[in-house]
Amino acid sequence: MHLYHLSLQPPSNIVCAVHGSFAGISKQQEVVVARGSILQLLVCDSRSGKINVKCSHDVFGIIRSLAAFKLTGGSKDYIVVGSDSGRFVILEYIPNKNCFERVHQETYGKTGCRRIVPGQYLATDPKGRAVLIGAVERQKLVYIMNRDSEANLTISSPLEAHRNFSVCYDVIGMDVGFENPTFACLEVEYEEVDQDPTGEAARNVEQCLTFYELDLGLNHVVRKYSEPLPERGNHLIPVPGGNDGPSGVIVCCQNVIVYKNLGEQQDIRVPLPRRRNDIEYEDTPLLVIASAAHKTKSIYFFLIQLENGDLFKVTLDTEGDIVTDMHLKYFDTVPPANAMCILKTGFLFVAAEFGNHQLYQIARLGTDDAEPDFSSRSTKAGLYNVRDLMNLVMVDTMDSLDPLIQTQVADWANEDAPQIYAICGRGGRSTLRVLRNGLEIAEMAVSELPGNPVAVWTVRRTVDDQYHSYIIVSFANATLVLAIQDSIEEVPDSGFLGTAPTIGCGLIGDDSLLQVYPGGLRHIKSDRRINEWKTPARRYIVNCAINRRQVVIALSGGVIVYFELDLTNQLREFSDHHAFESDILCMSISEIPEGELRSRFLTVGLADNTVRVISLDPTDCLQRLGVQSVQGDPSSLLIIETPDDTGAAPVLHMNIGLSNGCLIRTTIDQVTGDLADTRTRYLGTKPVSLYKVTVEGKDAVIATSSRSWVLYNYQNRFHLTPLSYMPLESAAPFVSPQCAEGIVAVGKSTLRILAFEKLGAVFNQTTHRLKFTPRKFVSLFGTDNLIVVEADHAAFTEKAKADRKAALVEGAEAAVQAARHDVNQQYNAQELRELYRNLDNDESQHGLPKNRNGTWASSIRLINATRGNTLCHYELPEGEAAMCVELVQFRSQPDSVFVLVGCASNLQLVPHHNPQAGCVYTFLVSKAVQGFEFIHRTVLDSPVYSIHAFKGVALIGVGRMLRLYDFGKKRLLMKCENKSLSSSLIPEDMEHLF
Amino acid sequence: MSSSTEKAANTERFHVLAQLEHLQSRYTGCGHADTNRWDWLTNQHRDTSASIVGHPDHLSYMAVANNYSRERARVEQLDKMIQPCGAPPKRTPLDDL
């Protein structure tokens, strides 16, 4: 536990991901991901298809690259981390400690993400003999891996593979079997470019594919071979070699992928195919952004992903060691990824570059479908139709807020705790999210009960039962017993007294049940015999505490009676009673420690604002041991045990719920019964009640007040999180064949069976889709109606989309006319025309189509953040980029409120032209706050990035000028101007002005 | 006496020069007495591009602003490193003096 630099919500994007057998368990693969500064181990459960964080570690640095390698003959993968630390770090995951352990740490350079300090690229030899760490420019270091006589990993001093004046695009370790390890690298040398004033060299500069060979005998690295490439590549994929394949690399270049190898091998080029059923222009460049490889003993294939998210399966035809052809086949479309991992268990993990990460199950390999096959025989780009998922099935998602563009914390939904409103995502995957502090709850069953229940318990019939047998629900004057079978039904002959409320019940001894009701105790034996203990006259039971061998009851008037199970399984009353001066409000007793006969401590909450610890040891039975005074009446007590990781005795934690809504947690000393280490937390407005449940096999506490909370131990830390669910009255653990770990709870007049989801998460997200990348939002008068402005570069507006579609249909129509004499061609042209007419791709799945550079599409949306429905929507004409939004109440128009949207017109990002124009759109908010209407557009001479309401006028940052505008009938009217700013104003500057 | 100090200073000067040359060959972008405006600017731009590529968040920022993938943002920055500030100025005979 680090006590510094802890953020409430850790980064959720994934920069790089590698998979391997890090735990060293055969046939199980884990994924290690880097999220900014956090290194995490993800485990994918192949049965449930859920992916969970197993181990998380903050490195307090920037992780730039990750690689995994396995020593020859080893079963365990090591993790290599390339970071900004100037160090080469090898980590090993230790499963039983659940942590990453550093095996080697070699310092080679300065810290920081620098141009010539390695850390950007990592490449490993597939046989685990060497690892290369490279910089963006010049430097590459190779470390040789080996093992010593005790099978520990050893590392050599670094060997240099530097190359002056060269920019590195990508580097991989080639699979060459057991020959000398070879690394393939994409490099551009700029030495000549720097010497040539004519600029000729810069135009002709070529990228080279260079092979570096590590000579293990001579212990140095040689530049073995270098070959200029006709087009620039950006990504390399190693092809299996040795006994498994032909070796070599696939170079992914713009619009084409090329297979290359040393020796006799001819280059095999396959142009990247294009979407047919899309409105994109045919000359939009295609780029491979990520790849994943799958290799078994019999087959290997690769998945490559293009910028629009389309996956292609790449396979090779070979004759001996010579590759004769390469095939591409459209596989499916998933979110554009930073990294992809194909796991041996048949899952594909997609670490999306923006938005939620996905886990897919590979249902089919796309071998025998009707998708067209693209090979090196065609020189032109093939065409394919994009479609819904066919080979993959989505099984799980990991939330990611990246890129988070704006957030605001406010209670706009009128709940008791504020929400966080966030706009995130990009393009078609943009979202508005409402984050609430709380744990997600899966509702498994809800059933109505007659009347309002006050408490619920679950009991097993014998100690050895795996599942719970009965649910006992207590009402104000009756008790209901339900049996848990395939369905949950009432049982009349359970032995429980149904005509009185129940104070407590549980399994006692090995196979008998105990019910505590106001009039006495009812001991129900397994053979249905019943032993009863009645209270003395004019006394009744107010409270009880039960474990498997001990029963303590509190009678009205502050008297405690203690029972213990004797050797004949009879409850034996302890002869002494103990009387307190004030009323007993609550009691708790811990479970019996393993190997002992009784629990030593009873805790009692009294009306005099104290909690006392009482001994139950036969030598000093019912003696007072410790006392803690609290600020209010204790309303509930619960002792839970926390198993210690180091194997020492578990720690006893006492939880005290107070009637003023606070929860106090203290630790009980196992020997003396002293109380120590007290923490307090306010939970809600109502008295706190505590119930013991189980989370991940450990004791956990449900605390109910005006909200329900759960206190659980997860990844060696206690989490106290509210439940994102209705307030509950009482809860109990629930285990049945259908539900491995759940809770049964009562609330109002219902019985609910629930389960926890996404343990460890602090926020529960509600997500609403947007159309373009959101830029800014404001709340309309502090309600959950938000105005969101969205804008995207190189995107189609609805109108531009319709125009482009019409043009495509027209083109196809012309083709139909031209092919009048050829039936076959005409049929094809007609088919294409119909295809264009019915174009309708799901943009959240297939991505926004790409328009020409320099075009913009923007929209202004009034959306209800609670329900997610768009109340009003206005799309700006093409070329306008909405950048900011503000509500302004003009002095001259006191009755109306206006929405001002600042835009840039025809903004050129690259090259950035200075003379640019902007405008401000003015909208009037309707009286019912359900919409807005367009009033006018004010043309300005520079883009507008910030608007602020200021004393009844609008303060607008126009380029480098700061101006005051008032409302006018035809346009906004300039009142005042300040030209003395050095750069254009962005919203943050504007905030600083006030 | 005076000649020996002169000699020491001389060797010192050569030593410093040699050290400088060593530094320049070792650390790309290290300046020297003849660094001109173009050299300096080009180095600054290359450093900046490399830093953008090295910081994952910065790369994401570029990708969101331009509405293309992070990989394309990375490739663009690397391409920019080859000649970020145009061709070098023409060499004049004075340069060799």
Side-chain angles (χ1 to χ4, degrees):
Chain A
M1 174 85 178
H2 308 278
L3 288 175
Y4 54 102
H5 190 74
L6 281 178
S7 55
L8 188 58
Q9 176 84 339
S12 48
N13 71 328
I14 293 179
V15 178
C16 32
V18 288
H19 65 287
S21 186
F22 300 109
I25 303 165
S26 70
K27 302 231 167 101
Q28 184 187 315
Q29 285 189 318
E30 299 87 17
V31 182
V32 169
V33 298
R35 300 172 180 259
S37 66
I38 293 178
L39 191 69
Q40 281 184 339
L41 183 95
L42 309 181
V43 175
C44 168
D45 184 348
S46 56
R47 264 173 302 165
S48 65
K50 295 262 178 229
I51 191 153
N52 287 313
V53 178
K54 184 81 189 286
C55 171
S56 188
H57 191 89
D58 201 334
V59 303
F60 300 106
I62 301 170
I63 302 174
R64 297 150 82 192
S65 49
L66 286 176
F69 74 93
K70 190 186 278 179
L71 287 176
T72 312
S75 61
K76 196 170 183 188
D77 277 292
Y78 293 94
I79 308 152
V80 192
V81 183
S83 67
D84 65 342
S85 64
R87 280 169 163 172
F88 179 80
V89 176
I90 299 179
L91 302 175
E92 183 183 0
Y93 174 68
I94 311 289
N96 48 9
K97 281 199 226 159
N98 194 26
C99 69
F100 296 108
E101 211 155 77
R102 194 178 60 210
V103 185
H104 285 291
Q105 173 175 289
E106 301 290 315
T107 308
Y108 53 71
K110 286 194 201 179
T111 57
C113 297
R114 288 162 201 266
R115 194 164 135 202
I116 56 161
V117 178
Q120 181 68 31
Y121 301 107
L122 278 174
T124 57
D125 174 62
K127 294 279 182 270
R129 295 168 297 169
V131 181
L132 181 145
I133 185 162
V136 174
E137 192 181 313
R138 204 174 92 130
Q139 295 202 12
K140 280 177 221 60
L141 298 171
V142 179
Y143 289 88
I144 303 171
M145 304 294 154
N146 219 326
R147 53 158 78 86
D148 62 11
S149 51
E150 273 107 52
N152 294 319
L153 179 71
T154 60
I155 186 167
S156 72
S157 48
L159 304 173
E160 291 187 354
H162 298 348
R163 183 86 184 161
N164 270 338
F165 312 108
S166 74
V167 178
C168 181
Y169 281 65
D170 200 10
V171 55
I172 50 132
M174 288 180 66
D175 192 346
V176 288
F178 284 105
E179 287 170 35
N180 278 335
T182 305
F183 297 95
C185 179
L186 284 174
E187 288 176 338
V188 175
E189 283 194 30
Y190 66 75
E191 189 173 14
E192 276 175 37
V193 174
D194 274 3
Q195 305 298 330
D196 178 23
T198 61
E200 191 63 27
R203 277 188 290 280
N204 298 332
V205 66
E206 275 181 323
Q207 192 183 42
C208 292
L209 176 69
T210 312
F211 297 96
Y212 289 91
E213 184 179 328
L214 165 66
D215 194 322
L216 285 171
L218 296 173
N219 208 24
H220 75 151
V221 184
V222 287
R223 208 172 128 96
K224 192 179 184 188
Y225 176 69
S226 185
E227 179 187 335
L229 299 173
E231 54 266 285
R232 257 181 222 167
N234 65 304
H235 189 82
L236 290 173
I237 305 169
V239 175
N243 298 325
D244 307 322
S247 182
V249 285
I250 299 174
V251 186
C252 304
C253 307
Q254 189 151 300
N255 296 332
V256 66
I257 62 171
V258 188
Y259 171 80
K260 276 178 176 295
N261 199 358
L262 292 162
E264 298 294 293
Q265 178 69 47
Q266 294 285 314
D267 290 357
I268 310 278
R269 297 167 57 88
V270 184
L272 288 170
R274 289 179 180 280
R275 287 184 181 181
R276 191 152 77 123
N277 55 347
D278 202 329
I279 60 173
E280 272 187 2
Y281 292 95
E282 278 137 37
D283 52 355
T284 314
L286 300 173
L287 194 76
V288 174
I289 60 168
S291 68
H294 179 72
K295 190 182 107 180
T296 62
K297 285 217 171 67
S298 51
I299 58 156
Y300 61 89
F301 66 86
F302 312 96
L303 287 180
I304 58 171
Q305 188 179 37
L306 302 188
E307 254 187 305
N308 50 21
D310 292 354
L311 287 178
F312 289 89
K313 185 180 161 187
V314 182
T315 48
L316 297 172
D317 287 348
T318 52
E319 275 173 20
D321 267 357
I322 297 294
V323 175
T324 52
D325 208 347
M326 181 157 60
H327 298 275
L328 256 71
K329 213 169 184 189
Y330 173 59
F331 197 66
D332 264 331
T333 303
V334 299
N338 278 338
M340 298 191 296
C341 299
I342 301 176
L343 304 180
K344 279 211 176 102
T345 40
F347 290 93
L348 173 70
F349 177 65
V350 176
E353 54 174 13
F354 299 115
N356 293 353
H357 314 295
Q358 319 273 27
L359 182 73
Y360 295 90
Q361 184 154 30
I362 302 173
R364 274 175 288 274
L365 287 176
T367 37
D368 41 1
D369 52 15
E371 285 297 336
D373 179 282
F374 308 104
S375 71
S376 62
R377 275 185 281 278
S378 61
T379 46
K380 244 179 80 209
L383 294 172
Y384 62 94
N385 287 337
V386 67
R387 50 164 168 73
D388 291 338
L389 294 181
M390 210 169 81
N391 298 315
L392 300 173
V393 183
M394 201 183 88
V395 285
D396 200 11
T397 326
M398 289 186 111
D399 285 331
S400 165
L401 296 169
D402 185 51
L404 186 56
I405 295 176
Q406 189 196 349
T407 57
Q408 203 145 348
V409 184
D411 187 13
W412 289 332
N414 281 326
E415 293 165 7
D416 57 350
Q419 309 90 50
I420 300 178
Y421 293 85
I423 45 175
C424 28
R426 195 194 63 178
R429 304 184 76 227
S430 307
T431 49
L432 165 72
R433 300 189 191 206
V434 187
L435 277 68
R436 292 179 172 85
N437 181 217
L439 195 68
E440 215 168 295
I441 296 286
E443 196 172 73
M444 303 178 86
V446 177
S447 58
E448 286 290 320
L449 290 173
N452 282 345
V454 284
V456 65
W457 295 268
T458 47
V459 289
R460 290 183 167 86
R461 215 172 279 158
T462 67
V463 179
D464 306 322
D465 275 6
Q466 194 184 351
Y467 304 119
H468 286 117
S469 318
Y470 293 128
I471 299 176
I472 293 112
V473 185
S474 172
F475 297 86
N477 54 6
T479 298
L480 187 68
V481 182
L482 307 164
I484 305 165
Q485 275 134 16
D486 291 338
S487 62
I488 292 172
E489 275 163 29
E490 187 178 346
V491 274
D493 58 343
S494 60
F496 281 83
L497 186 65
T499 53
T502 301
I503 294 168
C505 62
L507 176 75
I508 194 147
D510 285 340
D511 53 0
S512 48
L513 299 174
L514 180 83
Q515 181 191 16
V516 183
Y517 61 99
L521 306 180
R522 210 171 153 91
H523 188 181
I524 305 156
K525 296 287 184 64
S526 56
D527 52 4
R528 296 290 160 91
R529 277 185 300 134
I530 291 168
N531 285 347
E532 287 226 44
W533 180 90
K534 296 272 191 206
T535 53
R538 292 185 300 283
R539 296 261 180 148
Y540 55 93
I541 303 176
V542 290
N543 250 305
C544 71
I546 303 172
N547 64 23
R548 268 198 45 225
R549 301 193 64 85
Q550 294 163 291
V551 179
V552 187
I553 55 171
L555 297 177
S556 52
V559 176
I560 281 185
V561 186
Y562 174 52
F563 298 87
E564 214 177 278
L565 210 62
D566 64 12
L567 294 173
T568 58
N569 268 341
Q570 296 293 328
L571 276 179
R572 189 174 52 81
E573 184 181 343
F574 189 71
S575 52
D576 282 350
H577 294 185
H578 188 283
F580 285 103
E581 302 76 33
S582 44
D583 280 346
I584 295 166
L585 299 176
C586 47
M587 295 197 296
S588 177
I589 186 168
S590 65
E591 290 300 323
I592 299 169
E594 220 166 287
E596 290 183 35
L597 276 177
R598 58 180 70 80
S599 162
R600 280 193 53 217
F601 303 116
L602 167 75
T603 51
V604 182
L606 297 175
D608 60 355
N609 289 0
T610 56
V611 174
R612 286 165 199 275
V613 181
I614 309 285
S615 168
L616 294 178
D617 213 55
T619 53
D620 56 349
C621 198
L622 300 185
Q623 293 300 305
R624 298 173 186 202
L625 292 177
V627 64
Q628 168 155 6
S629 57
V630 290
Q631 300 91 332
D633 281 346
S635 57
S636 183
L637 274 177
L638 186 64
I639 301 178
I640 60 164
E641 284 177 4
T642 315
D644 198 288
D645 283 332
T646 53
V651 183
L652 282 186
H653 287 284
M654 177 166 64
N655 297 279
I656 309 167
L658 300 186
S659 55
N660 61 14
C662 285
L663 172 72
I664 298 175
R665 288 189 284 151
T666 59
T667 313
I668 305 180
D669 190 299
Q670 289 275 32
V671 180
T672 60
D674 286 343
L675 300 172
D677 189 20
T678 305
R679 296 149 194 249
T680 310
R681 177 88 182 254
Y682 176 72
L683 299 189
T685 49
K686 286 196 200 156
V688 177
S689 310
L690 304 169
Y691 306 96
K692 190 195 284 187
V693 294
T694 320
V695 172
E696 290 226 309
K698 295 177 193 161
D699 279 353
V701 179
I702 296 243
T704 63
S705 176
S706 54
R707 300 171 86 180
S708 305
W709 297 65
V710 62
L711 172 73
Y712 61 103
N713 191 312
Y714 182 73
Q715 291 188 347
N716 303 332
R717 258 185 74 189
F718 268 110
H719 295 252
L720 179 59
T721 317
L723 302 181
S724 289
Y725 202 65
M726 62 172 282
L728 301 173
E729 201 69 47
S730 166
F734 180 79
V735 181
S736 80
Q738 287 84 31
C739 172
E741 189 172 80
I743 57 169
V744 54
V746 291
K748 295 219 174 80
S749 66
T750 52
L751 181 79
R752 288 157 192 271
I753 295 169
L754 312 169
F756 299 116
E757 292 218 324
K758 296 193 177 154
L759 289 174
V762 184
F763 293 107
N764 177 14
Q765 303 186 1
T766 324
T767 305
H768 308 304
R769 269 185 52 194
L770 301 173
K771 193 166 158 45
F772 302 119
T773 307
R775 302 280 161 170
K776 206 151 191 330
F777 72 92
V778 285
S779 155
L780 261 191
F781 317 118
T783 63
D784 56 355
N785 287 344
L786 311 180
I787 296 181
V788 186
V789 293
E790 305 157 34
D792 256 330
H793 177 239
F796 283 95
T797 59
E798 282 303 318
K799 188 178 167 297
K801 210 183 278 178
D803 288 351
R804 170 82 183 136
K805 223 159 118 177
L808 282 172
V809 171
E810 214 168 89
E813 183 69 50
V816 172
Q817 295 301 330
R820 248 173 317 181
H821 308 295
D822 187 337
V823 183
N824 223 348
Q825 263 186 29
Q826 193 177 22
Y827 176 76
N828 285 344
Q830 275 171 348
E831 199 191 341
L832 199 62
R833 185 183 60 191
E834 289 313 304
L835 186 85
Y836 287 141
R837 279 195 183 143
N838 305 324
L839 270 188
D840 185 25
N841 285 338
D842 179 4
E843 287 174 356
S844 67
Q845 199 198 335
H846 298 133
L848 289 179
K850 205 135 195 88
N851 202 343
R852 298 275 183 217
N853 272 346
T855 55
W856 286 83
S858 317
S859 77
I860 298 147
R861 182 192 299 270
L862 179 63
I863 185 169
N864 183 286
T866 309
R867 290 188 295 278
N869 53 332
T870 298
L871 302 167
C872 190
H873 184 243
Y874 185 91
E875 195 165 68
L876 301 184
E878 189 175 272
E880 310 266 60
M883 292 295 177
C884 55
V885 61
E886 177 75 345
L887 288 183
V888 181
Q889 188 150 25
F890 286 106
R891 207 164 26 195
S892 51
Q893 304 281 325
D895 302 334
S896 10
V897 174
F898 295 91
V899 178
L900 264 57
V901 179
C903 302
S905 300
N906 299 319
L907 183 67
Q908 281 276 330
L909 288 169
V910 182
H912 196 82
H913 287 305
N914 255 341
Q916 285 173 339
C919 62
V920 173
Y921 279 82
T922 309
F923 299 91
L924 173 67
V925 179
S926 69
K927 289 275 182 279
V929 202
Q930 294 294 309
F932 53 82
E933 54 184 296
F934 174 66
I935 302 292
H936 53 55
R937 172 175 182 262
T938 311
V939 180
L940 300 169
D941 44 1
S942 286
V944 178
Y945 293 111
S946 52
I947 300 179
H948 209 289
F950 178 71
K951 293 187 177 170
V953 284
L955 190 60
I956 302 182
V958 186
R960 290 186 180 183
M961 274 90 67
L962 181 64
R963 292 177 184 163
L964 278 180
Y965 279 89
D966 201 352
F967 185 74
K969 285 260 154 54
K970 290 270 164 63
R971 48 168 291 155
L972 297 175
L973 306 170
M974 186 167 81
K975 295 290 169 194
C976 181
E977 184 180 54
N978 182 326
K979 284 185 187 167
S980 60
L981 300 170
S982 57
S983 62
S984 56
L985 275 175
I986 56 165
E988 282 67 32
D989 296 338
M990 205 67 133
E991 297 297 327
H992 292 156
L993 289 173
F994 294 92
Chain B
M1 184 72 184
S2 69
S3 74
S4 75
T5 46
E6 213 167 74
K7 205 174 172 188
N10 245 338
T11 52
E12 182 89 324
R13 194 182 307 137
F14 280 118
H15 188 60
V16 166
L17 273 178
Q19 268 190 336
L20 263 178
E21 249 167 41
H22 175 69
L23 278 179
Q24 273 145 11
S25 70
R26 191 164 168 188
Y27 299 108
T28 312
C30 223
H32 49 89
D34 293 331
T35 301
N36 60 23
R37 181 186 154 81
W38 180 88
D39 285 334
W40 186 80
L41 267 178
T42 302
N43 260 322
Q44 289 290 316
H45 275 78
R46 283 186 182 141
D47 283 346
T48 306
S49 287
S51 162
I52 291 172
V53 171
H55 290 88
D57 307 339
H58 207 152
L59 204 62
S60 295
Y61 176 84
M62 302 299 273
V64 172
N66 285 296
N67 191 23
Y68 50 48
S69 65
R70 289 180 81 239
E71 178 68 9
R72 191 177 285 280
R74 188 181 78 90
V75 173
E76 273 202 0
Q77 292 302 325
L78 292 178
D79 283 344
K80 222 191 229 176
M81 281 178 74
I82 296 166
Q83 192 170 64
C85 303
K90 279 208 174 68
R91 288 175 69 84
T92 61
L94 288 174
D95 289 345
D96 295 330
L97 283 181

